[in-house]
Amino acid sequence: MSSKNSNEKRGSQRKKPRYTNPKTTVYEFFGPLGVSLIMPGMVFMVLLSLIECNSSHCSPFIPNRNILTEWSNDISSLFTNTLFVDRAPIYAYIGWIAWLAALYVVLPGKMASGVQLRDGNKLQYPINGLSSAIVTFVALGGIVLLYGISPLVWVADNFSGIIVATMLVSTLQALILYLASFRGGIMLALGGNSGNPAYDFFMGRELNPRIGKLFDLKYFNELRPGIILWVVANICFVAKQYSDFGYVSNSMAIVVASQIFYAMDSLINESAVLTTMDITTEGFGWMLSFGDLSWLPSIYTLQARFLSFSPVNLSSSYCLFVSVVSVGGFLIFRLSNSQKNEFRSNPNSPKVSHLKHIQTKAGSRLLISGWWGMARHINYTGDWLLGLSQCLATSFITPYTYFFSAYFLALLLHRFARDEHKCKLKYGKDWDTYCSHVPYKFIPFIY
Ligand code: NDP
């Protein structure tokens, strides 16, 4: 029998998948045109955060500038330097990804199940993000013991090159994932299979790309290379401030403590990521690849980066005010999310069994008292307040450090609209009943 015939025979014997990959018919993000503008827009914003806010200047109000020529010169020298003059930031970033990938594989951790997929299966995920972070911090401590803080200052000094490396790696990863998603026999994301290359590249075609059975690329990218880099970069900016000014300002202490707390909280609650839209619904495309690897470490570190070259000393009363907003925001965010997780995973627990809820025809129960009775997305409100407190800690010297708050508001409003749309489709009239019980979106009695 010819090999072609035997292949055909094997192909016909292969079990048909128990799921379909329907075409995406409803566009988000204003469709192909929208994503074709969002992609260069995001790249430009990341580059702008580097070239417009650095030790030489961090203000949009500089007179007599030929801004377009300046930007194009700055951007081309950033890429030329990183690609052709000093590639150390690129090698360092590749080493960073390899280090975390190795920890993902070798560190022990309990396995958690993802949500049920369209084929009825559940994927398994190793919960070792927190231990990966701890081992990384211990290694960092060892480096400081051996060489002092100069390697940390090197990271701060070369941060622009490292971010250029994140852009190259994240875009290359998205390109490879897009091409690999045509290999057939794989589950595609319902939102990334339109047939339009730009749109599908952005949204991501494949739902759960994996290397082997366990190395889940989307899950790995979601919390590790970006979030742990956020913490490490912040520590490096503290070292930079100390090395250049001889002290660490109280504003830097507040920003970095609050962000490290938030980042560590997401790693401590790593299994909660398995029920988020990113893991359950989105394909792994440029949006998540660039967002996790590049956008997060560049935009989320803006405050600490600014303070590293421009220390701000806050009064005690202002420090107290910022700390109250920070702790208040974190508590709303954490307690509301934990209450829903507890209610969904263990409804008879004494912590949540007294809460009022409605039973939906779709099967799930929706809380209408406690945190989730106050507003439909009070968790977003807490999260946003926490982010705002980190911007406030930089005082009012530059608007750039407030960019995070503006962007995060847009992200959460958009996420809210997507989630409401999803819940309306899933719960139908039950969702209207839920909304009549919980009429406020974000702020009780106000909005
Ligand atoms: P949520 O955790 O808010 O979950 C929304 C889902 O919860 C709904 O789709 C519905 O799912 C279920 N639900 C809604 N209302 C109720 C209720 N009353 N009772 C029980 N279940 C309910 O969504 P996200 O994944 O968007 O956010 C998780 C956290 O991550 C948030 O705190 C957010 O602020 C944060 N986040 C942070 C980002 C960052 O960059 N720092 C980015 C994005 C999010 P079901 O179909 O199961 O009923």
Side-chain angles (χ1 to χ4, degrees), residues 13-82:
Q13 282 169 346
R14 204 180 288 145
K15 267 195 192 165
K16 277 199 173 161
R18 284 173 287 137
Y19 58 86
T20 53
N21 284 323
K23 276 258 172 250
T24 305
T25 50
V26 179
Y27 283 135
E28 296 186 69
F29 301 101
F30 303 105
L33 180 64
V35 304
S36 305
L37 295 173
I38 290 172
M39 284 189 275
M42 284 179 74
V43 168
F44 184 63
M45 289 310 296
V46 168
L47 290 170
L48 215 56
S49 76
L50 301 172
I51 62 174
E52 275 298 285
C53 191
N54 51 50
S55 53
S56 65
H57 66 279
C58 189
S59 165
F61 311 114
I62 301 171
N64 306 325
R65 291 176 79 189
N66 188 344
I67 210 152
L68 291 182
T69 315
E70 228 179 83
W71 282 351
S72 68
N73 287 343
D74 287 351
I75 291 173
S76 68
S77 67
L78 195 56
F79 276 91
T80 312
N81 276 340
T82 315

Side-chain angles (χ1 to χ4, degrees), residues 262 276-277 300 333 337 340 343-344 364-367 372 377 379-380 383 407-408 411-412 415 419 422-423 426-427 431 434:
Y262 181 82
T276 60
M277 223 191 273
Y300 288 37
F333 158 81
N337 281 325
K340 174 160 70 72
F343 178 74
R344 280 291 170 84
S364 317
R365 294 191 279 183
L366 294 170
L367 284 165
W372 294 82
H377 265 294
N379 55 342
Y380 287 3
D383 206 349
Y407 140 77
F408 201 38
L411 178 141
L412 292 175
R415 210 169 165 98
D419 194 54
K422 181 210 96 173
C423 290
K426 179 173 174 183
Y427 295 118
W431 188 251
Y434 168 66

Side-chain angles (χ1 to χ4, degrees), residues 168-181:
L168 299 172
V169 169
S170 62
T171 301
L172 185 67
Q173 171 172 251
L175 201 61
I176 294 171
L177 287 166
Y178 177 74
L179 296 175
S181 71

Side-chain angles (χ1 to χ4, degrees), residues 126-178:
I127 305 296
N128 57 8
L130 180 62
S131 49
S132 297
I134 291 170
V135 170
T136 303
F137 301 148
V138 171
L140 207 61
I143 290 174
V144 172
L145 279 179
L146 283 175
Y147 304 105
I149 62 168
S150 51
L152 307 187
V153 176
W154 182 88
V155 171
D157 286 339
N158 288 277
F159 196 66
S160 296
I162 292 172
I163 292 300
V164 169
T166 68
M167 289 174 143
L168 299 172
V169 169
S170 62
T171 301
L172 185 67
Q173 171 172 251
L175 201 61
I176 294 171
L177 287 166
Y178 177 74

Side-chain angles (χ1 to χ4, degrees), residues 181-182 234 269 277 342 352 366 430:
S181 71
F182 289 96
N234 272 353
N269 294 288
M277 223 191 273
E342 183 78 10
V352 290
L366 294 170
D430 287 329

Side-chain angles (χ1 to χ4, degrees), residues 6 68 132-133 234 370 413 421 440:
S6 71
L68 291 182
S132 297
N234 272 353
L413 287 174
H421 179 69
Y440 300 104

